[in-house]
Amino acid sequence: MADVRVTYDKTADAAYLYLTEPQASVRSARMYPCDPVDVDGMINLDFDEQGRLIGIEVLAASSKLPEYLLRSAERLDTEGP
């Protein structure tokens, strides 16, 4: 199973799932916001120049993602794990 880098800011309750190689420096060329009504929140999909999905931003992450994933995520806030 591949490792996916996940960052989490508890203060903002926002997480980001990186779907690229850890060493890769890939930039988002297009962002597609999922319909907030359909997903009951804000989830944005980032795509590269070739149309490949490179990342997923999840707002209100604590209500959308499993707790174990947020606990193991790289923390971006000052609270720590």
Side-chain angles (χ1 to χ4, degrees), residues 26-30 47-52 54:
V26 180
R27 299 189 67 165
S28 176
R30 183 172 62 89
F47 295 87
D48 69 8
E49 291 283 338
Q50 288 75 41
R52 292 179 294 226
I54 60 169

Side-chain angles (χ1 to χ4, degrees), residues 13-40:
D13 196 17
Y16 196 87
L17 290 77
Y18 294 83
L19 305 177
T20 58
E21 295 284 335
Q23 306 86 352
S25 178
V26 180
R27 299 189 67 165
S28 176
R30 183 172 62 89
M31 186 269 296
Y32 175 80
C34 296
D35 186 328
V37 174
D38 287 345
V39 297
D40 193 28

Side-chain angles (χ1 to χ4, degrees), residues 3-80:
D3 290 328
V4 175
R5 179 178 173 221
V6 179
T7 58
Y8 179 55
D9 183 327
K10 187 174 183 176
T11 305
D13 196 17
Y16 196 87
L17 290 77
Y18 294 83
L19 305 177
T20 58
E21 295 284 335
Q23 306 86 352
S25 178
V26 180
R27 299 189 67 165
S28 176
R30 183 172 62 89
M31 186 269 296
Y32 175 80
C34 296
D35 186 328
V37 174
D38 287 345
V39 297
D40 193 28
M42 288 299 301
I43 298 174
N44 299 311
L45 307 176
D46 287 334
F47 295 87
D48 69 8
E49 291 283 338
Q50 288 75 41
R52 292 179 294 226
L53 182 62
I54 60 169
I56 304 169
E57 178 186 36
V58 181
L59 305 179
S62 62
S63 69
K64 299 288 174 224
L65 297 173
E67 187 177 326
Y68 83 89
L69 188 63
L70 297 179
R71 277 196 318 267
S72 64
E74 176 185 334
R75 292 295 292 269
L76 300 178
D77 52 37
T78 57
E79 288 185 36

